[in-house]
Amino acid sequence: MTSPPNYRRAFWASRHHAWLGVFTLGLGFASGEPLALLAGAVVYALGLVYLPDSGFFRRTVDARENAARDAAAAAELATFQQQQEQMLAALSLARRTRYQQFVSLCSDLEITTTDPHTSDNVDAGTLRQKLTELTFSLLRMLTIEQSLAVYLETERKEQVPSLVASLEAETQALAAEIAPLKQLSPAPATLANKERLLTSRLERLQALQQRLTRIEQAQTNHDLLRSEQERLVEQVKLIRAEAVASKNADNLTSRIDLSIEHLASTNKWLSEIAEFKSLTAPMPTLPQGATPSAPSPEKPLQPQPQPPVAH
């Protein structure tokens, strides 16, 4: 919650203070009369006491503060919507289709719940903002899931599990070969090179095992994201079905809030993946009366390659 402005401090820097000085001290000084100058000083002092607390001055300050706040919020919203468009443009055709189907589903829900013949006292602006939050959550999940899918496909082509198994067998055989050589005296000339080879092979094996661990983590995250997408779609379908069957606006709002609350835990989990922190920031605060709109795909674009990431 923002604190109220300091009206007295604002008055000192305002044009009202400047005009007060001009019409009191300035005119009194210009008249050249001591009484006029004294009267101007008295009026100036009274103005300093009463004008900062006057209704018209406070309304002026409040309007300026609100305009600045709304301008900042509008700029933040424009950045947010640009990020949405960029994320959408980078999705594969299949994922863009899934996103568009979900946007259509939310549009159907909005139409159903704001129709006075089929709903009861649902605030259209609040509902649209909540539904936009759901669509953006799906867009984020699709973006992250695609990034993980690209990474997994890249690693799958290199057959890391097979490389790990092959290298494990090789290092075990090499270690078994080196063990009896260490017992010989004097040590064979080849022993030092074989030990260096074993060290090199073990370090490569360690790197491959770390890659394998990351692949397993990425696969788990990918599967969970797919499941969360499906869960979200089914929840909105359920809410839409209940909206058609019932006119209980409070129950409808509670259902949507519950879905958003559940997504909050998903977003918290996603934010723990360092590579995706920029995609898990909350939606911006909207200017008064404004509502966000979900981007709609116009033409299919191929996904842009993402850097290998996993958690």
Side-chain angles (χ1 to χ4, degrees):
M1 182 178 180
T2 58
S3 58
N6 188 321
Y7 295 104
R8 292 196 172 275
R9 182 181 300 171
F11 181 77
W12 283 102
S14 70
R15 68 178 186 276
H16 302 82
H17 178 228
W19 285 114
L20 175 65
V22 169
F23 283 109
T24 56
L25 298 178
L27 291 179
F29 181 80
S31 69
E33 296 291 334
L35 288 179
L37 182 58
L38 178 61
V42 171
V43 174
Y44 175 76
L46 291 174
L48 291 180
V49 173
Y50 293 106
L51 283 180
D53 294 325
S54 64
F56 85 92
F57 178 73
R58 291 198 170 204
R59 286 191 294 272
T60 300
V61 173
D62 290 342
R64 186 169 64 246
E65 292 278 337
N66 290 336
R69 190 182 305 113
D70 287 350
E76 186 180 3
L77 178 60
T79 301
F80 165 77
Q81 291 177 329
Q82 183 181 17
Q83 181 192 28
Q84 280 186 296
E85 296 294 344
Q86 291 172 346
M87 291 165 61
L88 183 60
L91 290 181
S92 65
L93 176 58
R95 291 180 179 86
R96 285 166 64 92
T97 300
R98 278 164 32 207
Y99 172 79
Q100 181 57 43
Q101 289 172 343
F102 185 72
V103 170
S104 298
L105 176 62
C106 289
S107 297
D108 290 344
L109 175 59
E110 182 181 359
I111 293 172
T112 301
T113 53
T114 55
D115 185 347
H117 300 292
T118 58
S119 61
D120 180 28
N121 297 324
V122 177
D123 183 80
T126 301
L127 176 63
R128 175 170 295 181
Q129 180 156 357
K130 291 179 183 295
L131 292 177
T132 301
E133 186 169 348
L134 294 181
T135 58
F136 184 55
S137 294
L138 180 69
L139 182 57
R140 284 187 292 199
M141 286 192 287
L142 286 168
T143 299
I144 298 173
E145 180 244 318
Q146 175 172 282
S147 180
L148 291 172
V150 171
Y151 164 67
L152 289 169
E153 181 60 26
T154 301
E155 294 292 81
R156 191 174 294 115
K157 290 178 180 178
E158 297 193 16
Q159 300 180 339
V160 177
S162 298
L163 290 175
V164 169
S166 175
L167 195 54
E168 283 178 343
E170 183 180 343
T171 54
Q172 290 172 3
L174 188 56
E177 182 181 346
I178 290 173
L181 295 179
K182 288 182 177 181
Q183 306 300 321
L184 299 178
S185 182
T190 59
L191 177 60
N193 285 339
K194 287 183 178 294
E195 288 179 329
R196 279 193 288 269
L197 177 60
L198 177 60
T199 300
S200 177
R201 288 287 188 263
L202 288 173
E203 289 176 353
R204 184 190 175 204
L205 177 60
Q206 183 179 17
L208 284 170
Q209 288 172 335
Q210 290 176 350
R211 286 178 64 186
L212 187 59
T213 299
R214 288 177 177 269
I215 291 171
E216 293 170 351
Q217 292 173 336
Q219 186 65 60
T220 300
N221 290 341
H222 176 271
D223 294 344
L224 180 55
L225 278 168
R226 288 300 301 267
S227 178
E228 282 293 282
Q229 294 169 35
E230 294 165 356
R231 181 196 60 78
L232 178 59
V233 171
E234 293 304 324
Q235 278 194 334
V236 174
K237 286 182 178 180
L238 178 60
I239 295 171
R240 183 184 62 177
E242 291 184 347
V244 173
S246 173
K247 293 185 178 181
N248 191 329
D250 291 336
N251 185 56
L252 172 65
T253 303
S254 298
R255 282 281 193 178
I256 297 176
D257 288 342
L258 185 62
S259 296
I260 293 175
E261 182 179 348
H262 188 98
L263 284 173
S265 62
T266 301
N267 288 332
K268 181 178 182 300
W269 161 66
L270 290 174
S271 68
E272 294 171 356
I273 307 177
E275 292 83 355
F276 301 131
K277 284 187 180 296
S278 62
L279 298 178
T280 54
M283 283 181 57
T285 302
L286 301 179
Q288 184 67 30
T291 53
S293 58
S296 298
E298 296 179 355
K299 60 181 180 179
L301 297 178
Q302 294 302 315
Q304 301 296 319
Q306 301 289 334
V309 288
H311 180 67

